[in-house]
Amino acid sequence: MKLIILILSISLMTPGCRAKDKTAVITDVKSKSANSVSIMTFNVENLFDTTHDSGKTDYTFLPISKKKSKKHISGCKKIPRKKWRDQCLYWDWNEKVLTEKLKRVSGSIKQVNNGLGPDIIVFQEVENIHILERLRKDYLKSLGYKKSILVEGKDRRGIDVAFMSKLPAIGKPKLRYVSFKNISKKRKSDTRGILQQDFRFPDGTIVTGFATHFPAPFHPYKLRVESYKYLSKLVSKLPKGRLAFAGGDFNTPTREDKKHKILNKYVKTHWLVPHEINCDKCLGTNYYAPKKSWSFLDMMLLSNSFKNSNWKLAKTFLANKSKEQTTKKNRPNSFKVQGSKIYGVSDHWPLVVVLNKK
């Protein structure tokens, strides 16, 4: 199966696999073929609707008209980080803003497969299934995605992991929780479960997917180690020979991996790491300005069972070519609301793997 890269710009590529100009680059991997499957992981950075979900601290993502009360203002002022405090107080998260957010997220997705989108998308930072279904029905309409897969979790902010797939889902999804040891209740409320779902590939092969969003880097690295161990435990319990993939925001900075050798010790024992195999010139999916460092916080992992299967890794790339996705310095462009102006898409770039059948 040939992979055809349709380049809509003659510009040379710059770090991060982005064209020098603002023209989109669309990759056609012929997803409708029974011999190819594409999977994307995408942290969409706070895909919230405009209403409050009971029991969740989603007050930043409300219209300004609902931010006038003393209760709201006093709650926002307790937020220690100025950037987040100001967003809680002053962002006008209205329907116009949300519409633009959904439009830009969908544009990022449509870069893959010549506008058709990948076969499976693994999402992070989605508030609920309703907003994900709005994305699917209103902005990805006619692309063939089936009903979104999301199990509401316990994260206090209300962010969840989810799947959207053109391929059939087999059985019910299960949200698995890491039993973090010796941590406070407050810290534990800032973690997400691992969503497990089986899918049927075009040739009939059953493949198990795991959607992840590990504890953020400001939490102790041992929480991420526990999460990797639990994920490997889950894949080891699958039927013998079962193919599996894991996609998500693993929140493991490059500096942390180098210091503690996390991928070597806790990932490569059970998984292949595609971006280390064939993601040419890809510096990372996230840029941390204070340390001036790139990291693959977002990864796609393939179980070792792929080594002996008919499905092989063909390509790994960043879907980061829309003009809204990148700053002038070729870094991920976080979604921002500044008065009447809207900038960016997400502080993470989507990562895509393409699997071809021999």
Side-chain angles (χ1 to χ4, degrees), residues 25-50:
V25 178
I26 301 173
T27 302
D28 180 3
V29 293
K30 298 185 178 180
S31 65
K32 298 225 173 187
S33 167
N35 297 318
S36 184
V37 170
S38 52
I39 310 172
M40 168 188 280
T41 182
F42 193 2
N43 183 325
V44 288
E45 190 188 15
N46 298 320
L47 185 57
F48 281 75
D49 58 27
T50 60

Side-chain angles (χ1 to χ4, degrees), residues 232-333:
S232 294
K233 183 178 178 180
L234 291 177
V235 78
S236 67
K237 289 184 175 181
L238 296 175
K240 186 177 180 180
R242 171 68 60 84
L243 302 182
F245 67 87
D249 182 356
F250 292 85
N251 266 322
T252 306
T254 298
R255 61 189 180 277
E256 181 176 279
D257 178 43
K258 287 182 177 179
K259 182 178 180 179
H260 301 288
K261 304 187 185 317
I262 290 176
L263 292 185
N264 284 335
K265 289 182 178 180
Y266 308 109
V267 179
K268 294 177 183 178
T269 51
H270 289 79
W271 303 92
L272 303 172
V273 184
H275 73 262
E276 291 190 351
I277 299 171
N278 63 4
C279 196
D280 187 40
K281 297 182 181 179
C282 297
L283 298 179
T285 61
N286 177 267
Y287 182 79
Y288 185 55
K291 297 287 186 180
K292 298 181 180 180
S293 63
W294 285 94
S295 295
F296 277 94
L297 297 187
D298 312 87
M299 296 190 291
M300 289 295 310
L301 306 178
L302 302 176
S303 61
N304 282 335
S305 52
F306 271 93
K307 294 176 181 178
N308 300 314
S309 79
N310 290 326
W311 288 93
K312 302 298 182 183
L313 175 65
K315 186 175 180 62
T316 310
F317 62 93
L318 298 171
N320 64 340
K321 309 306 184 292
S322 71
K323 63 182 181 180
E324 296 90 1
Q325 281 182 288
T326 55
T327 67
K328 292 180 180 179
K329 294 183 178 180
N330 293 316
R331 297 165 185 168
N333 197 7

